[in-house]
Amino acid sequence: MKLVGAATITPWLAVVLAVILLSGALFGYDQGVVSGALTSIKAEFSLSALLVEVVTSWVTLGALFGALLGGELADRLGRQRAVLIAGLVFTLGSLVEALAPDTIVLVGGRLIVGLGVGIAAVAAPLYAAELAPTALRGRFISAYQLAVAGGIFAAYLVDGWLSKVGAWRWMLGLSAAPGLMLVAVALLAPQSPRWLIRMGRRADAVTQLQKIHPGVDPSPNLDAIAAALTHDSGRASWAEVFGPEWRRPLLVGVGLAVFQQITGINAIIYYADQIFQAAGFTTQAAQTTVTTWAVGGVNVAATFIAIAFIDQLGRRKLLLAGLVGMALSLAVVGAAFEFMISVSTAHSATTSTAGIVTLAALVVFIACFAFSLGPVVWTVINEIFPGHIRGRAVAVATAVNWASAFIVSQVFLSLINVLGNSFTFWLFGLFCVIGWIWVFYAIPETKGRSLEQMQQLWKHGRTKRAA
Ligand code: BGC
């Protein structure tokens, strides 16, 4: 008889995977789609610069609140029902956006979509972490990141296709389709046995475990979960979440969420066209192609590296290797911009060489992010907390991630004005170096530990770097 932790994908685990993939795709599509829709929205509603900003960024604000709400829903109603609600909210928001008669309704739709995105961003990885067999947990959560990257890529393709005809309502409304699919799959999906046990519903947990892993004796896993519950039962108060006992995992979760953003990924994702324009890709068509494939396509492709290696090499090695690559490539992007400035006045023909160097370095940057900070941050955030604080603590880390994304996207263009291109990229590079040092000293290896064993990590005085 196989243990429940064994690495076999059963049909019901495939349903779990579908929930995770659809949630990630909705998150990513939403991150990527608005840039292509803005020009025609601006024209139809005569938006001021401020309103353009609001239409762009209120999804992120909605997601910030959605993340906090997502933690509550996931704890009170269960992970699977929280994802179901995210799908419903997201579909509603997409339809409101697509049919919006004026700016106020459009902004309302953006906010609703954001709420859905935020709820899903907490509930789906949490669900993945609790349902995945230990040996595949990193891959399951990385699959979520793969779907995020796939969603961004799909949005770039849809933008390139529909922006020519100004069909912004279709661009925004199209995501109602995966939203509805998420609702349908989440209705079918099993509940998290870990959550059921925490709620005192052991019999239901047995039913779900037998459904997910037919023919497998659920007792060893039930016993391990139940034993952990003797120290880890009920639901923690906010005071406990922020209290001294769990300060270290909270700092790890929040720190990873911040570093994922302040190293610049979304500055590049949101403003890729403008960066490539500054790097010498002058036509809109050239910028769109380069952004779609060099940013969107590479982001998807390189996530497979994480899927292949995260459960073998572990989380730390991927993070440390990725941060080195990100720091070096940002140093090169900064230097290329410096070079472009110094040569463009004298020999404008040389600009294209620096442009190609910028492009190559950004490809390396995206690839390194995609196999490290992208998937590993979500994996670690969702596996390090004990069950009774998991929902709320993951919600805090996710909300901090959205807040950091919001701040970076707001200040990026001002930074470019104040510091110039080179120093802005070097600043992101410096954050990669600081992040590397912090990861080296603060992040324990979590590969191969069950969620119950994970709690032991924090009981020792010192962080154990190797599992
Ligand atoms: C980040 C997003 C980012 C995306 C890029 C995610 O892990 O949380 O902010 O846009 O990766 O693929």
Side-chain angles (χ1 to χ4, degrees):
M1 202 172 264
K2 279 173 286 161
L3 280 181
V4 174
T8 324
I9 303 271
T10 63
W12 283 106
L13 271 183
V15 174
V16 170
L17 212 48
V19 167
I20 297 162
L21 290 174
L22 282 165
S23 306
L26 286 172
F27 173 160
Y29 185 83
D30 178 74
Q31 292 265 100
V33 79
V34 76
S35 59
L38 273 179
T39 314
S40 25
I41 298 178
K42 236 185 330 194
E44 184 165 338
F45 291 150
S46 325
L47 296 185
S48 63
L50 179 70
L51 280 175
V52 169
E53 179 92 315
V54 169
V55 168
T56 311
S57 62
W58 275 36
V59 165
T60 314
L61 274 191
L64 204 161
F65 293 111
L68 294 173
L69 182 64
E72 293 303 301
L73 292 174
D75 274 354
R76 282 173 203 264
L77 305 178
R79 284 61 168 121
Q80 164 257 358
R81 289 203 194 118
V83 175
L84 176 66
I85 292 172
L88 286 169
V89 173
F90 196 94
T91 308
L92 173 73
S94 309
L95 294 177
V96 171
E97 284 180 332
L99 302 172
D102 54 33
T103 318
I104 295 182
V105 179
L106 177 65
V107 170
R110 301 284 294 152
L111 209 54
I112 300 174
V113 165
L115 275 180
V117 169
I119 298 172
V122 170
L126 202 56
Y127 184 62
E130 291 192 350
L131 271 286
T134 299
L136 294 178
R137 194 177 54 234
R139 287 188 175 183
F140 266 60
I141 311 183
S142 299
Y144 168 76
Q145 173 67 23
L146 177 70
V148 173
I152 295 174
F153 185 45
Y156 282 165
L157 289 174
V158 169
D159 275 1
W161 173 43
L162 290 178
S163 58
K164 292 188 195 97
V165 286
W168 66 267
R169 292 181 187 275
W170 279 102
M171 291 182 198
L172 300 182
L174 265 181
S175 56
L180 277 179
M181 278 157 72
L182 177 61
V183 172
V185 183
L187 275 172
L188 280 178
Q191 290 191 304
S192 160
R194 286 191 162 86
W195 178 79
L196 287 168
I197 292 181
R198 175 150 303 100
M199 301 308 280
R201 293 167 54 185
R202 194 180 160 101
D204 290 336
V206 173
T207 314
Q208 297 297 325
L209 275 173
Q210 282 168 339
K211 177 168 159 181
I212 302 165
H213 305 279
V216 175
D217 178 11
S219 327
N221 261 17
L222 281 175
D223 292 347
I225 299 172
L229 272 185
T230 50
H231 312 289
D232 177 31
S233 58
R235 184 161 176 265
S237 64
W238 281 108
E240 196 183 345
V241 173
F242 290 105
E245 193 177 1
W246 304 113
R247 189 157 295 153
R248 277 179 52 219
L250 193 67
L251 279 177
V252 165
V254 167
L256 283 172
V258 171
F259 276 112
Q260 192 198 50
Q261 296 298 329
I262 62 171
T263 43
I265 183 65
N266 282 319
I268 287 158
I269 291 203
Y270 293 150
Y271 299 108
D273 278 12
Q274 285 162 59
I275 296 170
F276 288 128
Q277 186 182 22
F281 293 83
T282 43
T283 66
Q284 180 63 49
Q287 287 159 26
T288 308
T289 311
V290 172
T291 299
T292 304
W293 296 100
V295 176
V298 169
N299 194 18
V300 175
T303 311
F304 283 103
I305 303 176
I307 293 189
F309 293 113
I310 190 166
D311 286 320
Q312 288 159 16
L313 293 180
R315 288 55 164 153
R316 281 174 52 84
K317 285 194 181 121
L318 289 184
L319 276 179
L320 292 170
L323 280 163
V324 170
M326 287 166 70
L328 289 176
S329 50
L330 286 168
V332 173
V333 175
F337 272 107
E338 194 66 16
F339 181 67
M340 272 187 265
I341 295 165
S342 55
V343 295
S344 59
T345 41
H347 317 278
S348 51
T350 332
T351 311
S352 64
T353 315
I356 298 296
V357 172
T358 306
L359 170 63
L362 281 182
V363 166
V364 173
F365 173 84
I366 296 286
C368 290
F369 172 88
F371 75 71
S372 66
L373 279 184
V376 180
V377 163
W378 292 119
T379 302
V380 176
I381 285 177
N382 281 279
E383 59 188 7
I384 51 175
F385 297 109
H388 69 299
I389 69 164
R390 194 173 296 136
R392 284 185 162 172
V394 168
V396 170
T398 308
V400 167
N401 184 270
W402 284 106
S404 313
F406 183 70
I407 293 168
V408 171
S409 66
Q410 298 299 300
V411 301
F412 178 66
L413 292 181
S414 322
L415 274 180
I416 296 261
N417 283 334
V418 177
L419 298 177
N421 289 324
S422 301
F423 279 94
T424 303
F425 288 107
W426 284 335
L427 183 65
F428 289 143
L430 177 68
F431 288 139
C432 291
V433 174
I434 299 172
W436 193 96
I437 297 169
W438 178 73
V439 167
F440 186 81
Y441 287 105
I443 307 290
E445 181 53 70
T446 50
K447 162 190 89 160
R449 290 171 184 266
S450 74
L451 293 186
E452 286 65 40
Q453 289 164 352
M454 208 73 74
Q455 295 167 38
Q456 297 308 316
L457 272 180
W458 313 110
K459 299 247 178 268
H460 304 297
R462 275 176 52 100
T463 299
K464 275 200 188 159
R465 287 205 286 274

